[in-house]
Amino acid sequence: MLLNPVISKLAGKRVVLASASPRRQDILSNVKHLKTPDIVIGADTIVTLEDAILEKPLDKQDAYNMLSRLSGKEHSVFTGVAIVHCRSQDGNNKLETDIIDFYEETKVKFANLSEDLLWEYIDSGEPMDKAGGYGIQSLGGMLVESVHGDFLNVVGFPLNHFCKKLVELYYPPPKQAIQRVKHDSIPYVESFENLSDVEKDCSSPSKTLEGKKGLKKFVCSSSSSASSLPYTTALQNGIKESPRQKQLPLKINELLDGFKESKTLFAASKLKVFDKLKDKGALKAMEIAEKINASVHGTERLLDACVALGLLEKTHQVYSNTELADTYLVTDSELSIHAYILHLNDHLWSHFTHLESAVVEGKSHPKNTCEKMSENLHGSEVKERFMRAMHCMLKITARDIATAFDLSKYPSVCDLGGCTGALAHELVQIYPEMRVNVFDLPEVIKNISPFQPAKLSSHVTFTSGNFLEDALPEADLYILSRVLHDLPDAKLNHILKKLSVACCPGRKALLIAEIVLDEDKKEPRALLQALSMSDGKQRSGTEYKKLLGSHGFNSVEIKKTGNLLDAILAIKR
């Protein structure tokens, strides 16, 4: 065995595993023999998809939500490891420690998973105690299409990387090759100059895995778990450091400045900075200031802030758009969210400016309402801006909503409150035999022309009406997109009762597009939206199932899309 010279170093020593994971116990029990105290190993594994950390599922529905999000996508598995090497100094009882920490990333690609396969796996019970809801070393291996990196890292412990760290511990290089590195909240640790770039970042207090959410927290907490051992103070610039001294946490710093970042994006979008740069390619601050009719001093500060946020690039005092800006922030891009940004700036921003008053009163503050905005805008302009915002949002989310479930069995669809028809046009592209009727208020239908695609489809029609008051058009599938969260209980139950009557058991269905809260109500997106204090409420998957079940929809599937809106399919069986 190639690693035997390294692993044999653990023989005759007592290795304490600071973990309750049976997978790590299995892996390490094959490479060590326990006798006397020597080393403490702490490890934790997280599964990440995009910006979300997928922890152990709380129940079967939570497991389904996790696995359905992973279906067909590549995700990352990170394991953070802290090794505490303990030894007694000759001639006294003081315990000295060397601490090494590192992390390993493995990329895992899931196959496209059918509903039957998902539930068969969930019903096996295997997902319930595993991060991300699966165990690759057992039945969960059938869900995996490919693995890039250390397979054992996905199981729960990166054995190869661990062995390399043992080499550093037991076969150190000459002292001239060693540098002393300061870690947060722990004594100085000896490390080697030939660390990889990732490990160098880990050693730097200013870069400690900030890009990998949750992992920094683990490495620091695992390393500082040695606080039960004698604390050795360190000197920095000749000043003794207090054990209680702490830097302001990164999360607090992000929250303190978050509103500034949002407003920078809003201001640059409203001034159409990104449009001016797309037209001309690259401009100096003075040239941009002239085009947006603003001061050079103020424009330069705004541009530099946009560079810092990754929205613009700056080379030799000349500014240009990033690919992100050209794709999403210029007004005429196919995926532009410019109108939605203006909606956030002109309408929703004011809701949060007086949030403390809204919380005290339990309702949207009078200063926050559209009445204030209407003082400077005619009613038709307000409606047009709102339509543009919703059109942008649905263009971004339409494909994920349309493909969350197989809708090919529903030839006729009625999109209630479908606004400009962005979702309808996406549906007929994906399901060519489908016909979609967009049912919305007369003042909405008469203003849809600017939002229609160049190539109109005869399979999309528009009908004027009020779905709360008028009879619902006949359809096999009804859609409510961004409607339920905004309705007070009386109107909510009224429309669901109408839909229940319209949906024949087994043949017709209801598709809902909303943000679905996680069961613990810890994910911030929907919770922050709820602070706008509308008459409705945001709901978790369980709450949606209970609500829809009370109206006869006894089969409810929920798909977290990872996009702005999630999807719910409700059927009466």
Side-chain angles (χ1 to χ4, degrees):
M1 175 179 171
L2 292 176
L3 298 176
N4 191 59
V6 179
I7 296 302
S8 63
K9 279 293 181 180
L10 297 182
K13 304 182 189 303
R14 184 169 185 236
V15 179
V16 177
L17 178 60
S19 172
S21 167
R23 270 79 62 188
R24 294 190 193 100
Q25 292 174 19
D26 289 342
I27 293 170
L28 288 174
S29 65
N30 293 323
V31 298
K32 62 180 178 58
H33 179 65
L34 306 182
K35 285 185 180 178
T36 59
D38 185 79
I39 192 168
V40 178
I41 304 167
D44 199 11
T45 301
I46 60 172
V47 175
T48 68
L49 178 64
E50 295 159 348
D51 289 332
I53 295 177
L54 305 182
E55 300 178 356
K56 295 177 181 178
L58 301 173
D59 51 32
K60 286 188 175 183
Q61 183 59 51
D62 196 24
Y64 172 81
N65 292 341
M66 286 186 188
L67 293 169
S68 59
R69 288 182 67 182
L70 295 172
S71 176
K73 296 178 181 177
E74 185 178 71
H75 62 275
S76 291
V77 179
F78 292 96
T79 301
V81 180
I83 307 169
V84 183
H85 181 223
C86 310
R87 64 186 183 278
S88 296
Q89 196 174 45
D90 293 340
N92 61 50
N93 295 322
K94 185 176 180 181
L95 185 66
E96 289 193 344
T97 63
D98 291 320
I99 301 174
I100 296 176
D101 55 52
F102 66 91
Y103 76 93
E104 182 77 20
E105 177 184 8
T106 304
K107 296 282 190 180
V108 180
K109 172 72 181 302
F110 264 31
N112 289 310
L113 308 178
S114 66
E115 292 290 313
D116 290 341
L117 179 59
L118 273 177
W119 282 111
E120 182 179 348
Y121 180 58
I122 292 168
D123 289 338
S124 74
E126 186 176 284
M128 302 317 297
D129 67 335
K130 297 173 178 64
Y134 74 97
I136 196 171
Q137 73 280 12
S138 302
L139 291 174
M142 67 183 178
L143 313 178
V144 175
E145 188 173 282
S146 62
V147 177
H148 299 285
D150 187 344
F151 176 85
L152 285 180
N153 182 54
V154 186
V155 178
F157 194 80
L159 185 58
N160 187 274
H161 200 159
F162 171 72
C163 291
K164 291 175 182 175
K165 291 300 179 183
L166 288 185
V167 172
E168 295 179 7
L169 188 61
Y170 289 109
Y171 299 97
K175 287 196 173 182
Q176 60 268 25
I178 299 176
Q179 59 182 359
R180 295 181 69 80
V181 181
K182 179 68 176 68
H183 289 256
D184 293 340
S185 307
I186 61 175
Y188 277 99
V189 178
E190 290 183 343
S191 62
F192 305 108
E193 292 178 347
N194 62 346
L195 292 174
S196 67
D197 291 340
V198 172
E199 290 161 339
K200 286 178 183 176
D201 283 350
C202 185
S203 300
S204 170
S206 63
K207 298 181 180 178
T208 315
L209 303 179
E210 291 178 0
K212 309 301 181 187
K213 296 184 178 179
L215 199 58
K216 175 186 176 186
K217 178 180 177 183
F218 161 72
V219 171
C220 291
S221 63
S222 295
S223 300
S224 60
S225 66
S227 60
S228 58
L229 304 175
Y231 186 90
T232 305
T233 57
L235 291 177
Q236 185 171 336
N237 299 325
I239 301 173
K240 252 186 182 180
E241 186 178 56
S242 166
R244 294 184 178 86
Q245 180 179 341
K246 289 186 179 294
Q247 291 183 334
L248 190 64
L250 176 64
K251 184 62 179 178
I252 299 296
N253 264 323
E254 290 175 344
L255 291 173
L256 289 174
D257 285 336
F259 78 98
K260 299 174 188 175
E261 296 180 1
S262 296
K263 196 60 179 178
T264 298
L265 170 62
F266 295 170
S269 296
K270 186 148 189 173
L271 293 170
K272 295 192 174 181
V273 168
F274 307 109
D275 279 12
K276 307 302 181 187
L277 286 170
K278 186 186 179 186
D279 293 340
K280 299 296 181 181
L283 296 169
K284 294 181 178 179
M286 182 183 299
E287 297 170 314
I288 299 171
E290 183 179 352
K291 290 183 178 297
I292 65 174
N293 194 26
S295 68
V296 176
H297 175 70
T299 300
E300 188 169 21
R301 292 192 177 190
L302 177 63
L303 296 173
D304 285 340
C306 287
V307 171
L309 294 177
L311 306 177
L312 295 178
E313 294 175 348
K314 182 180 181 181
T315 307
H316 304 304
Q317 305 305 311
V318 174
Y319 299 87
S320 59
N321 281 347
T322 60
E323 182 181 354
L324 181 150
D326 278 337
T327 303
Y328 296 104
L329 304 181
V330 298
T331 55
D332 59 355
S333 168
E334 183 181 355
L335 296 176
S336 173
I337 59 168
H338 181 267
Y340 185 59
I341 291 172
L342 295 189
H343 173 70
L344 296 176
N345 182 68
D346 297 339
H347 179 55
L348 286 186
W349 181 265
S350 62
H351 286 253
F352 289 85
T353 303
H354 303 281
L355 180 59
E356 64 277 13
S357 300
V359 170
V360 170
E361 297 172 17
K363 60 182 180 180
S364 182
H365 196 274
K367 293 180 181 178
N368 298 343
T369 63
C370 289
E371 294 175 3
K372 183 178 180 181
M373 187 168 63
S374 298
E375 293 174 3
N376 300 316
L377 290 170
H378 297 297
S380 59
E381 291 179 274
V382 174
K383 289 186 180 70
E384 183 183 347
R385 285 195 176 187
F386 180 77
M387 288 176 67
R388 288 189 181 281
M390 294 305 101
H391 183 74
C392 281
M393 187 179 190
L394 278 171
K395 275 175 62 180
I396 294 294
T397 59
R399 179 158 288 269
D400 283 327
I401 295 169
T403 58
F405 307 100
D406 180 8
L407 304 178
S408 58
K409 65 183 76 172
Y410 305 109
S412 65
V413 178
C414 181
D415 189 356
L416 302 172
C419 200
T420 62
L423 177 56
H425 286 292
E426 191 69 41
L427 283 167
V428 298
Q429 284 187 37
I430 297 169
Y431 307 102
E433 303 302 317
M434 182 180 285
R435 282 174 163 72
V436 184
N437 179 15
V438 178
F439 189 71
D440 213 323
L441 298 171
E443 56 266 32
V444 172
I445 300 299
K446 71 180 182 182
N447 290 304
I448 62 169
S449 297
F451 304 99
Q452 300 311 295
K455 187 177 180 181
L456 291 172
S457 171
S458 60
H459 286 201
V460 176
T461 57
F462 292 85
T463 302
S464 297
N466 185 327
F467 59 72
L468 288 172
E469 300 174 1
D470 300 333
L472 301 180
E474 185 69 23
D476 299 305
L477 176 70
Y478 292 94
I479 299 177
L480 285 172
S481 177
R482 285 184 52 82
V483 172
L484 297 186
H485 78 279
D486 218 21
L487 294 177
D489 287 349
K491 290 183 178 180
L492 174 73
N493 287 301
H494 174 67
I495 185 58
L496 289 179
K497 183 178 180 181
K498 290 178 69 172
L499 286 165
S500 179
V501 172
C503 290
C504 305
R507 292 196 302 109
K508 299 187 177 184
L510 169 63
L511 178 66
I512 297 168
E514 292 281 0
I515 302 175
V516 178
L517 283 169
D518 61 298
E519 295 301 323
D520 284 343
K521 298 187 178 178
K522 291 182 178 179
E523 294 176 3
R525 191 160 54 98
L527 298 173
L528 292 173
Q529 180 168 304
L531 284 174
S532 62
M533 300 294 177
S534 70
D535 292 333
K537 61 178 288 191
Q538 304 292 335
R539 293 174 173 83
S540 67
T542 299
E543 288 171 325
Y544 270 116
K545 286 186 175 183
K546 183 178 179 181
L547 172 66
L548 293 165
S550 68
H551 289 279
F553 293 97
N554 50 17
S555 176
V556 179
E557 293 183 66
I558 298 170
K559 181 69 71 76
K560 287 292 193 84
T561 67
N563 207 322
L564 296 176
L565 297 174
D566 301 313
I568 304 169
L569 186 66
I571 302 170
K572 293 169 67 178
R573 294 198 185 280

